[in-house]
């Protein structure tokens, strides 16, 4: 998976550099051409999974409903919204990275970023295949994905280590070891969270869900590459402000980056609390209620 991602990423980088350098067009325009070419070259393979997963997870109430929606070839509101935001954020991030600068261990710009992000994002697929159960699919795409049921036994821990090592080595060549280790950690962490979500909502992972996870990890990788200087700056500011002084609210609001981070953490905790204590019932309770209603309905039909 990561090797395929690196090949695709190099082709994307060639397109970006041609439009940005040879045609002398702005980075944002070059990023739009890059993404458009990528959709054509891959046949919207992962983007299709993102749209189907968003429709299922957003519109389904129970596990059976989610799986039914995900296997439907039509795209709904959640799928359109997720796909649109994915493409918008991707173009914006690549455009913000600017012109490619190629230097061993210290690359910058959109070209190196797209290569690395395409590579490390695909590391999520073998990780989830190895660590999660794969759900046998039904529907129009089931003949294509049926081999994935056995892929768990083909993707051994050794092959996962090789895939991780390749991704890390390529990222190190571009950005050096420290940034690369952090980047791989971020991608695996996001993949792990997505895997937990898949276990909870679906009972495992499936082809569309793997595609959506790759898209999410790609955005996470591009965001980290784009914001790494800001992340380091905020971290150093927090260390400087709280080193030996303990927590003081005045220190939080005296520094704009720390204040924004503090607000974001509070918002995340509030949303988590709302979902835990006020949000919809547990997925397993929803599934049990649906089964009870189906049983009751079948009994009434038999009585009639």
């Amino acid at each position: 998976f990561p090797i395929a991602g690196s090949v695709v990423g190099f082709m994307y980088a060639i397109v970006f550099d041609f439009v940005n350098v040879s045609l002398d067009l702005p980075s944002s325009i070059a990023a739009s051409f890059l993404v458009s070419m990528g959709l054509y070259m891959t046949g919207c393979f992962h983007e299709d999974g993102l749209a189907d997963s968003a429709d299922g997870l957003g519109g389904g109430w129970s596990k059976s409903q989610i799986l039914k929606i995900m296997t439907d070839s039509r795209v709904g509101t959640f799928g359109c919204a997720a796909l649109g935001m994915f493409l918008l954020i991707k173009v914006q991030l690549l455009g913000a990275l600017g012109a490619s600068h190629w230097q061993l261990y210290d690359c910058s710009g959109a070209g190196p970023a797209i290569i690395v992000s395409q590579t490390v994002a695909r590391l999520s697929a073998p990780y989830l295949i190895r660590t999660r159960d794969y759900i046998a699919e039904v529907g129009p795409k089931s003949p294509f994905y049926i081999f994935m049921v056995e892929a768990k036994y083909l993707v051994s821990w050794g092959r996962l280590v090789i895939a991780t090592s390749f991704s890390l080595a390529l990222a190190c060549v571009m950005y050096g070891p420290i940034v690369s280790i952090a980047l791989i950690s971020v991608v695996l962490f996001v993949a792990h969270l997505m895997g937990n979500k898949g276990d909870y909502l679906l009972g495992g992972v499936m082809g569309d869900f793997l595609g959506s996870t790759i898209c999410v990890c790609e955005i996470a990788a591009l965001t980290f590459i784009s914001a790494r200087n800001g992340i380091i700056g905020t971290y150093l500011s927090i260390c400087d402000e709280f080193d030996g002084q303990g927590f003081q609210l005045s220190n939080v609001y005296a520094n704009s980056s720390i204040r924004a981070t503090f607000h974001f953490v509070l918002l995340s905790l509030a949303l988590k609390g709302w979902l835990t204590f006020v949000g919809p019932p547990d997925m397993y309770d929803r599934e049990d209620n649906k089964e009870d209603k189906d049983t009751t309905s079948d009994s009434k039909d038999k009585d009639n």
Side-chain angles (χ1 to χ4, degrees), residues 30 39 131 149 181 269:
L39 296 175
T131 60
V149 178
I181 292 173
L269 293 175

Side-chain angles (χ1 to χ4, degrees), residues 245-260:
Q245 299 181 25
F247 179 83
Q248 295 181 7
L249 194 60
S250 59
N251 290 342
V252 171
Y253 281 90
N255 186 296
S256 59
S257 63
I258 298 177
R259 180 173 65 250

Side-chain angles (χ1 to χ4, degrees), residues 136-291:
E137 301 187 41
V138 295
K141 290 183 283 187
S142 59
F144 180 79
Y145 284 122
I146 193 64
F147 79 96
M148 297 294 290
V149 178
E150 301 297 329
K152 180 180 180 70
Y153 305 100
L154 298 177
V155 181
S156 62
W157 284 109
R159 291 183 176 180
L160 179 58
V161 170
I162 293 174
T164 305
S165 301
F166 175 82
S167 301
L168 181 61
L170 180 64
C172 284
V173 170
M174 299 289 186
Y175 296 114
I178 297 177
V179 173
S180 301
I181 292 173
L183 178 60
I184 295 294
S185 300
V186 168
V187 169
L188 290 178
F189 177 70
V190 172
H192 183 75
L193 293 180
M194 292 290 290
N196 289 345
K197 196 71 172 178
D199 281 343
Y200 173 65
L201 295 175
L202 305 174
V205 297
M206 54 194 300
D208 283 337
F209 190 81
L210 291 176
S212 67
T213 301
I214 290 174
C215 290
V216 172
C217 288
E218 183 181 348
I219 294 299
L222 287 173
T223 302
F224 179 83
I225 293 171
S226 301
R228 65 185 187 276
N229 292 331
I231 294 172
I232 294 172
T234 300
Y235 173 75
L236 293 177
S237 297
I238 293 174
C239 292
D240 291 339
E241 291 291 342
F242 299 112
D243 185 21
Q245 299 181 25
F247 179 83
Q248 295 181 7
L249 194 60
S250 59
N251 290 342
V252 171
Y253 281 90
N255 186 296
S256 59
S257 63
I258 298 177
R259 180 173 65 250
T261 303
F262 180 66
H263 289 166
F264 179 77
V265 171
L266 287 180
L267 175 62
S268 300
L269 293 175
L271 290 174
K272 178 62 177 178
W274 186 89
L275 291 173
T276 302
F277 300 107
V278 186
D282 187 271
M283 171 59 68
Y284 302 105
D285 294 335
R286 287 183 252 168
E287 191 68 27
D288 291 340
N289 291 336
K290 182 179 182 300
E291 291 178 357

Side-chain angles (χ1 to χ4, degrees), residues 5 22 30 36 51 54 70 82-83 87 96 143 190 211 231 235 254 275:
S22 300
S36 300
M70 289 180 67
L83 186 57
L87 296 175
V190 172
I231 294 172
Y235 173 75
L275 291 173

Side-chain angles (χ1 to χ4, degrees), residues 65-82:
Q65 285 181 332
I66 292 174
L67 292 174
K68 182 178 180 180
I69 294 173
M70 289 180 67
T71 54
D72 192 332
S73 59
R74 294 170 293 183
V75 180
T77 303
F78 286 100
C80 290

